[in-house]
Amino acid sequence: MKLNTVGVKQREQWEEAGYFIPQFDREIVAKATKEKPLWIHFGGGNLFRAFQANVVQKLLNNGVLDRGLIVAEGFDYEIVEKMNRPHDDYTILVTLKSDGSVEKTVVGSIVESLTVNPENTHDYNRLKTIFSADSLQMVSFTITEKGYSLQDGEGRFLSDVELDFENGPSLAKSYMGKIAALLYLRYLAGEKPIAMVSMDNCSHNGDKLYEAIQMFADKWSENGKVESGFVRYIQTKEKVSFPWTMIDKITPRPDASVERILKEDGVEDLEPIITSKNTYAALFVNAEECEYLVIEDDFPNGRPALEKGGVMFATREIVDKVEKMKVCTCLNPLHTTLAIFGCLLGYRKISEEMKDTQLKKLVEKIGYEEGLPVVVNPEVIDPKEFIDTVVNIRFPNPFMPDTPQRIATDTSQKLAIRFGETIKAYVKSNELDVKNLKMIPLVFAGWIRYLMGIDDYGKKFELSADPLLEILRPYVSQLTIGETQHVKEKIQPILNMTQIFGVDLEEIGLADTVCMHLEEMLKEVGAVRETLKKYV
């Protein structure tokens, strides 16, 4: 079975192998999309192929939409050239369910793929045509948070960005510079309205996109490279909007076990490609069954009826509440908890940790007992139901090859948001007492114990990357398993680091609890497990 236009026409063969096949006339949809494009998406990675493309497929199947998706790749052109086009933009979505079942779908909603490469005149001219079209309603992005960054770690503009400021939109080379240049063409075509929708998994993502585009507009205007009206166009919400969104779906790297399933079905050409930019791409994507996408409903040129495909539209305030619910209480803190103790207890999969009585109970206590009381209910998603899904479906899913070691990356940058906001809410509350928090201090103690790089069995392990390791390790290096004297004195500077915890633990009265738990975890080999048994 070949994944291309000719191969998919052998419908019976695919359906007999258990695949859901597109139920719409793809040729008609592709023609309509080319003539009157509705939605173009930048970033052709796994999340887009598993989530947005599948939503559009459902709507096409049900006759809600008559046009498909156009995908543009601006980072790694080989994805389009070596994966999309050889397969006529088809992809296979393999949904890995927590009950062990697998759902296989041939997704055909992407009907055109382009490189954001000015040297490819065909593709770039096509992008110009799309951005000038009256029909275009939405430009969306999944390019990762760093895709919007114009500066390096020292605050200096990147070299390509600096050149773009000087050279203007016609010679733009940087990713955001090319997006701004295409938007300028839409301005020149009659200041046509458009929604620029970041769907990347970062807080207030629409602002990050706006700030990048606005910077180019300002610099080009100052340098006389664009009409001054372009700046006003970007700043006018009735013309160009930058909605906030919250997206949540796990789409790990294509797994070898899934590849074997497809191979046994008779799917051909399954060998993945690894591009010169070290991107791993396959003709299939595997993903969890759960998915959430909440979008601020701000579309100056109208929008597709994506709510009929499960997407939620809301106000900016509600999107912000959903984001905080997920990141500060109902998901991310539980993930970080499992990451820390998973590394200490030798686990290699998050799903395996959920079979551990103490660890499962620990995340339940953090979510339901300590986090839920301070959640502001966003209404569009019930916080308790969200935690229920995380604890009972998402984390235990054996198909999800997520590791505690990966989740433990950059933990020092995560604690302030994932736990600090809950602590602050307790401090501000007239009804809650911060000293009643028991599990969060236990996690903090576990993290400091983790920084020793010695697991609960006395074996050394490699710490995940973290920008503050060099600062933290000198304090933690004074700690020894079997030695519980003067622990607080040794780690006092860490306890006072508001940039890590979001609060000064000493100042708010949690430092002694953290140190008590840490002392217990240091008593002997196996003390981490014994401490969990005692308190959880």
Side-chain angles (χ1 to χ4, degrees), residues 124-389:
Y124 210 67
N125 285 338
R126 176 64 183 144
L127 286 170
K128 291 178 181 178
T129 301
I130 292 166
F131 267 78
S132 300
D134 291 344
S135 59
L136 190 66
Q137 295 181 326
M138 174 161 57
V139 180
S140 60
F141 302 82
T142 49
I143 59 175
T144 75
E145 185 171 2
K146 65 182 179 183
Y148 307 101
S149 179
L150 308 184
Q151 298 173 318
D152 62 19
E154 304 296 321
R156 297 183 296 262
F157 284 114
L158 301 170
S159 56
D160 279 356
V161 170
E162 196 80 69
L163 287 171
D164 284 354
F165 290 159
E166 297 172 13
N167 296 332
S170 62
L171 297 172
K173 299 290 185 188
S174 67
Y175 203 147
M176 280 293 107
K178 287 180 282 191
I179 299 298
L182 290 166
L183 197 53
Y184 183 55
L185 287 174
R186 191 164 183 81
Y187 162 80
L188 292 175
E191 298 188 32
K192 295 175 181 177
I194 192 68
M196 305 289 286
V197 189
S198 169
M199 295 180 178
D200 275 296
N201 188 16
C202 53
S203 183
H204 303 172
N205 44 21
D207 287 355
K208 289 178 170 58
L209 176 57
Y210 169 76
E211 288 160 7
I213 300 296
Q214 184 65 46
M215 180 63 74
F216 278 99
D218 287 343
K219 293 291 187 181
W220 285 340
S221 180
E222 289 171 14
N223 296 336
K225 299 296 182 180
V226 297
E227 295 179 10
S228 59
F230 182 49
V231 175
R232 289 194 302 275
Y233 173 66
I234 298 296
Q235 293 173 339
T236 305
K237 283 192 70 174
E238 293 73 24
K239 295 286 186 181
V240 185
S241 68
F242 295 86
W244 290 2
T245 69
M246 190 289 291
I247 192 165
D248 186 19
K249 186 178 180 73
I250 299 173
T251 54
R253 175 173 164 162
D255 192 71
S257 64
V258 176
E259 183 179 327
R260 285 194 294 273
I261 293 172
L262 302 187
K263 193 169 186 178
E264 289 171 6
D265 289 339
V267 179
E268 300 176 43
D269 304 321
L270 278 165
E271 294 74 20
I273 63 162
I274 299 176
T275 70
S276 57
K277 288 193 173 182
N278 210 32
T279 303
Y280 183 100
L283 61 76
F284 70 94
V285 54
N286 41 242
E288 66 169 337
E289 61 197 286
C290 299
E291 58 188 28
Y292 302 89
L293 177 55
V294 187
I295 305 177
E296 178 187 354
D297 201 353
D298 188 6
F299 290 78
N301 201 30
R303 61 168 175 79
L306 302 182
E307 67 274 15
K308 294 182 180 179
V311 175
M312 291 166 271
F313 289 94
T315 64
R316 173 167 287 204
E317 291 72 25
I318 288 176
V319 175
D320 192 40
K321 288 176 183 176
V322 173
E323 176 75 24
K324 287 177 178 173
M325 177 199 77
K326 169 196 162 189
V327 173
C328 303
T329 49
C330 297
L331 172 64
N332 293 20
L334 315 189
H335 229 177
T336 291
T337 298
L338 291 174
I340 291 167
F341 286 103
C343 292
L344 284 170
L345 297 173
Y347 283 103
R348 302 300 298 183
K349 272 190 175 184
I350 294 292
S351 58
E352 288 298 316
E353 289 187 73
M354 292 305 288
K355 298 175 184 176
D356 185 308
T357 304
Q358 279 95 40
L359 294 183
K360 185 172 187 288
K361 197 169 180 183
L362 175 60
V363 294
E364 288 174 342
K365 283 177 173 287
I366 289 172
Y368 293 117
E369 296 179 17
E370 298 192 345
L372 207 52
V374 300
V375 172
V376 178
N377 193 331
E379 306 299 339
V380 293
I381 300 174
D382 180 82
K384 183 182 180 301
E385 289 180 8
F386 189 86
I387 299 178
D388 289 344
T389 304

Side-chain angles (χ1 to χ4, degrees), residues 472-484:
L472 298 168
R473 287 303 295 276
Y475 303 116
V476 179
S477 65
Q478 301 177 59
L479 301 175
T480 306
I481 294 176
E483 175 58 64
T484 60

Side-chain angles (χ1 to χ4, degrees), residues 105-116:
T105 306
V106 174
V107 179
S109 59
I110 303 166
V111 295
E112 185 176 8
S113 55
L114 302 163
T115 60
V116 193

